[in-house]
Amino acid sequence: MDEVYLGDSVIVTITLYSTANFERVDNQAGQKEPVLKKATVHRYRPGRRLSQDIAAYQGKRYYAVAAAQYAVTPLQLGEITFPAQKYDVVLSVQLRSRDPFGSFFPFGPVETRQFKKTCASEPLKIKIVKRPRKTIQELQQSGATVM
């Protein structure tokens, strides 16, 4: 569980991982932002294009795509749960020719197959806490007058 100070905003990034290349990623909710009772939610950088990176986890290579980013601003103390997001994705895999003689030639014909999958993120719990008060020393260092 992450903590956020009341009055601050936090960026929530939904990242999808796959062993196959992402061709397309579509949020099942469309372009609508999730609705939260104790926070406002805005899509962060809505016009950006998806970019794909390579990530490593436990010695394996994965393709990673930041599917969406949201700016979440809490409105009151307590806990909020950012809901799970569901995505329809199209993955592509390149396969070598099944020709038995193709294995002798490393640059033989390549076939690309596409697969449709549905995936979902996990709900994210965010704890909203009160900002700690500044000490007298911190106030003096910031230039405030202390009496």
Side-chain angles (χ1 to χ4, degrees):
M1 178 183 327
D2 294 314
E3 288 186 352
V4 176
Y5 293 130
L6 182 64
D8 286 354
S9 294
V10 64
I11 302 296
V12 174
T13 302
I14 308 294
T15 304
L16 305 177
Y17 298 93
S18 172
T19 55
N21 191 29
F22 287 94
E23 288 293 321
R24 195 175 76 229
V25 176
D26 295 318
N27 190 333
Q28 288 184 351
Q31 296 297 319
K32 294 187 285 184
E33 292 90 4
V35 177
L36 302 176
K37 290 181 182 179
K38 297 180 182 180
T40 60
V41 179
H42 298 284
R43 187 172 289 276
Y44 182 71
R45 296 177 12 181
R48 78 170 168 75
R49 294 179 54 209
L50 290 179
S51 61
Q52 194 162 208
D53 289 323
I54 303 294
Y57 179 70
Q58 293 184 348
K60 291 186 179 181
R61 188 179 106 165
Y62 294 93
Y63 293 96
V65 166
Q69 289 184 308
Y70 300 96
V72 179
T73 306
L75 301 174
Q76 53 186 280
L77 296 173
E79 184 178 281
I80 58 174
T81 301
F82 191 85
Q85 301 292 295
K86 292 185 179 179
Y87 292 90
D88 294 320
V89 298
V90 176
L91 305 170
S92 68
V93 178
Q94 291 187 345
L95 304 170
R96 290 273 173 219
S97 171
R98 294 182 186 199
D99 179 6
F101 298 105
S103 62
F104 293 114
F105 305 104
F107 302 107
V110 175
E111 177 185 349
T112 301
R113 288 196 183 165
Q114 292 188 339
F115 299 93
K116 293 181 182 180
K117 297 287 182 184
T118 300
C119 56
S121 66
E122 295 288 327
L124 175 66
K125 292 188 184 294
I126 303 170
K127 185 176 179 180
I128 312 306
V129 295
K130 199 174 195 179
R131 183 178 303 281
R133 297 184 69 115
K134 290 187 177 184
T135 65
I136 293 176
Q137 185 179 7
E138 289 173 331
L139 290 171
Q140 287 174 334
Q141 288 175 346
S142 69
T145 305
V146 179
M147 294 189 174

